[in-house]
């Protein structure tokens, strides 16, 4: 089973992995720019149980990294590839880098650290997604109203509603495999461990986010990624690329082209 992906541009490959509840669409504005303005071959990916990729009852980092590796093989990506992931996608990218360092030239991780993450902060989002009754929901506004009872932030709801689609029978559904993601959520918080990845790695963190702490910068990240740097994007939260696209565009372009 091959991951759904979008391949655009020519040059050194840059593979992009989205975060939990995301899709490759979340990155498309920047992906097009890296393809057209930075001269990169950009491959945006839907991870398993997300977007238009396959649904599966297992959702672990080891399996997700194997999914991405199979896509590398299918696309015949060479060792000059840059792999970038945001949040959950960042942990997938770290897992692949630690397990198969020979397949990458460099690694970019956006606003996530390798340590264990408590996933309780996702409880309200899960409750909101599960509260949408698709037997009665007839439009996007009704889905948004149901979500709003659990997820007051409009930007977060807009992000989640990108998963809403109309089926052939004209009813609505989530593209994500919600039941499996809810059941497997603890696994999404697992720590990343392994032998250090010695090639260049760039960690991009939001200045207003707590996903990468000072201790992560000083200890956790260098222990696994000794040839890494951490770039802080001021006034950005966890969705750094959505809040500060110009800064992220420049950081990734410079790093991937070096």
């Amino acid at each position: 089973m091959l991951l759904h992906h979008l391949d655009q541009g020519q040059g050194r490959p840059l593979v992009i992995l989205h975060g939990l509840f995301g899709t490759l669409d979340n990155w498309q504005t920047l992906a097009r720019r890296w393809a057209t303005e930075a001269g990169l071959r950009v491959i945006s990916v839907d991870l398993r149980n997300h977007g238009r990729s396959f649904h599966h009852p297992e959702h672990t980092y080891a399996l997700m990294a194997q999914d991405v590796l199979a896509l590398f093989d299918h696309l015949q990506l060479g060792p000059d590839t840059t792999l970038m992931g945001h949040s959950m996608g960042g942990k997938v990218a770290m897992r692949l880098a630690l397990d198969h360092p020979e397949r990458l030239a460099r690694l970019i991780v956006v606003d996530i650290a390798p340590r264990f993450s408590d996933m309780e902060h996702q409880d309200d989002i899960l409750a909101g997604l599960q509260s949408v009754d698709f037997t009665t929901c007839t439009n996007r506004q009704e889905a948004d109203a149901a979500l709003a009872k659990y997820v007051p932030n409009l930007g977060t709801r807009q992000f989640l509603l990108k998963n809403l689609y109309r089926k052939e029978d004209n009813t609505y559904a989530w593209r994500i495999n919600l039941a499996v993601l809810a059941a497997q959520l603890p696994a999404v918080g697992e720590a990343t461990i392994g032998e250090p990845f010695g090639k260049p790695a760039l960690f991009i963190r939001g200045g207003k986010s707590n996903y990468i702490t000072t201790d992560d910068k000083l200890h956790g990240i260098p222990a696994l990624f000794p040839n890494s740097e951490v770039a802080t994007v001021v006034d950005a939260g966890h969705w750094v690329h959505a809040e500060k696209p110009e800064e992220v565009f420049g950081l990734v372009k410079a790093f991937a082209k070096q």
Side-chain angles (χ1 to χ4, degrees), residues 98 114 194-197 216-228:
L98 294 175
E195 293 299 314
F197 175 78
D216 294 325
K217 288 172 62 177
L218 295 176
H219 305 291
I221 292 171
L224 283 176
F225 304 96
N227 190 15
S228 65

Side-chain angles (χ1 to χ4, degrees), residues 131-157:
S131 75
V132 180
D133 184 357
F134 288 118
T135 63
T136 60
C137 178
T138 60
N139 56 53
R140 192 179 191 85
Q141 290 71 32
E142 290 177 0
D144 182 54
L147 269 178
K149 297 173 184 176
Y150 298 86
V151 185
N153 183 273
L154 175 60
T156 303
R157 293 203 309 276

Side-chain angles (χ1 to χ4, degrees), residues 20-21 48-50 55-64 88 116-117 119 122-123 126 130 177-190:
L20 182 65
F21 307 132
R48 64 166 58 198
N49 294 317
H50 289 77
H55 286 190
H56 194 279
E58 294 183 273
H59 193 83
T60 67
Y61 284 117
L63 288 172
M64 286 189 279
M88 179 190 74
F116 168 79
S117 302
M119 299 305 292
Q122 300 288 350
D123 288 351
L126 274 178
Q130 291 166 334
N177 190 348
L178 184 57
V180 164
L181 293 177
Q184 299 287 321
L185 194 61
V188 178
E190 285 182 356

Side-chain angles (χ1 to χ4, degrees), residues 67-255:
D67 294 341
V68 177
L69 198 63
L71 182 62
F72 273 44
D73 291 340
H74 173 76
L75 297 174
Q76 298 182 316
L77 299 181
D80 59 341
T81 299
T82 299
L83 179 59
M84 176 170 70
H86 170 243
S87 200
M88 179 190 74
K91 283 198 168 181
V92 177
M94 285 189 273
R95 179 76 274 145
L96 193 151
L98 294 175
D99 290 346
H100 301 280
E102 75 284 354
R103 300 300 298 267
L104 301 180
R106 59 194 68 77
L107 172 72
I108 304 174
V109 177
V110 183
D111 212 55
I112 196 73
R115 62 176 161 81
F116 168 79
S117 302
D118 187 329
M119 299 305 292
E120 288 183 3
H121 61 284
Q122 300 288 350
D123 288 351
D124 287 344
I125 286 177
L126 274 178
L129 291 167
Q130 291 166 334
S131 75
V132 180
D133 184 357
F134 288 118
T135 63
T136 60
C137 178
T138 60
N139 56 53
R140 192 179 191 85
Q141 290 71 32
E142 290 177 0
D144 182 54
L147 269 178
K149 297 173 184 176
Y150 298 86
V151 185
N153 183 273
L154 175 60
T156 303
R157 293 203 309 276
Q158 289 174 333
F159 162 76
L160 295 170
L161 286 167
K162 288 182 180 292
N163 290 291
L164 190 69
Y165 79 107
R166 193 192 297 267
K167 299 194 294 184
E168 289 183 4
D169 63 3
N170 226 31
T171 61
Y172 284 90
W174 297 122
R175 286 201 185 277
I176 50 173
N177 190 348
L178 184 57
V180 164
L181 293 177
Q184 299 287 321
L185 194 61
V188 178
E190 285 182 356
T192 305
I193 57 175
E195 293 299 314
F197 175 78
K199 294 177 180 178
L202 172 65
F203 284 72
I204 301 173
R205 66 179 290 271
K208 297 193 294 186
S209 170
N210 61 0
Y211 279 72
I212 295 179
T213 65
T214 300
D215 188 62
D216 294 325
K217 288 172 62 177
L218 295 176
H219 305 291
I221 292 171
L224 283 176
F225 304 96
N227 190 15
S228 65
E229 58 180 302
V230 178
T232 299
V233 178
V234 179
D235 292 332
H238 183 53
W239 283 280
V240 193
H241 51 294
E243 297 175 35
K244 296 288 184 177
E246 286 299 329
E247 287 85 343
V248 173
F249 174 79
L251 284 167
V252 171
K253 176 184 175 182
F255 188 73

